[in-house]
Every structure is written in C-alpha cells, then in structure tokens.
Amino acid sequence: MVESVTDSNQHIDTRGWYLAARHVPSPYYDKRSDEEDISLLVVHNISLPPGQFGGPYIEQFFTGQLNPDEHPFFQVIHKMGVSAHCLIRRDGEVVQFVPFSARAWHAGASSFAGREKCNDYSIGIEMEGSDYVAYTQAQYEALATLTRVLQLRYQKITSGRVTGHQYIAPLRKTDPGLVFDWIKYRALINQ
C-alpha cells in the first residue's frame, strides 16, 4: 500500500536523506549548482550481473567496491564511477546512496524538454530489474511513496517531470524498459 504523505519534512532530513531508506553513502556525487533547481525525477533499472536480482553487487557498484574478478561483466564496469540517489529492491526496500540535495551521477549525456545535463537538476531512482522482467508490486508502491515525498519537497517535480532514462537518453539507454507500467505507477502516485 502506498503511504499517505502530507509533510516531506517527516520523510527527508535537512541534509537530503530519505528517512525510510537504508543509507549506503556513495563517493560518486558532487555539489549541485542550485538545489532550488531540482525539477525532474528519472526512473532507471539495474541488475548485477545483468538479469540477476539480489546480492550485494549493485551496492558495491555504486560505492566503488565491485570486485572485477567476480563476474566477467564487472571487469567492464567496475571503474565507471556512477551512482543514483536511490535503489528500490525487488521487495520494495529503498536504499539511498546520495542525498537528494547533491548531484548523483546517474543520467550521463541526457536532455529533457530541450535542457541538457539532467544530473544537474534531477533525482535518479534505480529499480532493481531489467527491461524484460516485470517489476514487483512492492517496487511500484515504494516508488510511488518516494515520488510523493519528493514532489512535496521539490515542488517543481510535477507529474509531467517524471520520466524514464530511455526518454532522456534515447538511442543510448532503454531503461526502465517497456515492461515498466507507467499507468500503474501514475495511478499509485495519484491515490
């Protein structure tokens, strides 16, 4: 069930940490040029190794601790230096790596509504999943609750400013994939 949200201050502390999340700080972030400019929410997906769920690898990747010898794919990505603000696990657990007040390195070369460098003004949320496996109800509910909290705190994140990585980096990215149910997600936000 999506949590009722009326006051973002009950859910996000003054430093930008979501109180309902488990905090695993990443070194891969920097200062935003303007915290008042936060105006976009970008939904992604990730699974490590690709197509496999569970395990410690996503957290290791976002914190620079991924062992390249544990899987051939890790040899390609272990030095990438990327992060997201939050990860939503298959069971709905939220893990936060970067405070919302800081710039996470999740979007790469990107553009939304004609404005480039989405990392500067967006919040990135990773769903544990792939382009081809349906997301869980627990994930949708956790994402909807987090979205409502973020929309209360950062009022420039309107319903029209919630998007997928595939739409801000077309031809380069495909996540969260065609299996992501935008209709279900938006209905949960508006409950």
Side-chain angles (χ1 to χ4, degrees):
M1 170 146 304
V2 178
E3 184 180 334
S4 176
V5 178
T6 57
D7 182 4
S8 67
N9 292 326
Q10 295 175 351
H11 299 275
I12 300 174
D13 72 16
T14 58
R15 297 168 298 147
W17 290 97
Y18 185 43
L19 299 176
R22 182 166 52 88
H23 302 153
V24 180
S26 171
Y28 304 127
Y29 73 95
D30 55 8
K31 186 173 173 37
R32 291 187 189 270
S33 59
D34 181 4
E35 285 183 43
E36 299 299 314
D37 192 29
I38 298 171
S39 59
L40 182 66
L41 178 64
V42 180
V43 180
H44 303 259
N45 77 32
I46 189 169
S47 57
L48 291 176
Q52 296 181 28
F53 308 137
Y57 301 119
I58 298 171
E59 291 179 28
Q60 290 173 1
F61 180 53
F62 286 154
T63 58
Q65 299 174 31
L66 191 63
N67 181 345
D69 298 325
E70 289 198 36
H71 190 277
F73 184 68
F74 299 170
Q75 295 173 7
V76 177
I77 66 167
H78 78 282
K79 291 186 178 181
M80 289 183 87
V82 298
S83 63
H85 289 92
C86 293
L87 164 70
I88 300 178
R89 294 272 190 193
R90 302 294 290 177
D91 64 1
E93 178 193 23
V94 179
V95 182
Q96 187 170 6
F97 300 96
V98 175
F100 302 124
S101 58
R103 178 173 45 200
W105 303 340
H106 62 95
S110 54
S111 175
F112 182 82
R115 184 175 175 194
E116 295 184 345
K117 300 180 180 176
C118 293
N119 283 340
D120 291 352
Y121 56 95
S122 69
I123 291 172
I125 308 298
E126 295 275 0
M127 302 287 280
E128 183 178 26
S130 76
D131 292 2
Y132 310 107
V133 177
Y135 297 94
T136 68
Q137 183 66 25
Q139 285 181 294
Y140 283 110
E141 291 175 4
L143 179 61
T145 297
L146 177 54
T147 300
R148 291 166 70 173
V149 168
L150 291 169
Q151 288 178 323
L152 275 173
R153 172 63 72 91
Y154 305 105
Q155 295 184 359
K156 293 179 183 178
I157 302 177
T158 61
S159 61
R161 296 190 61 86
V162 177
T163 192
H165 200 191
Q166 67 208 51
Y167 302 117
I168 65 168
L171 305 178
R172 189 174 68 81
K173 293 295 181 178
T174 59
D175 58 309
L178 296 177
V179 297
F180 186 83
D181 190 337
W182 288 98
I183 294 171
K184 175 191 282 192
Y185 168 48
R186 291 186 189 284
L188 287 169
I189 294 170
N190 295 320
Q191 279 186 346

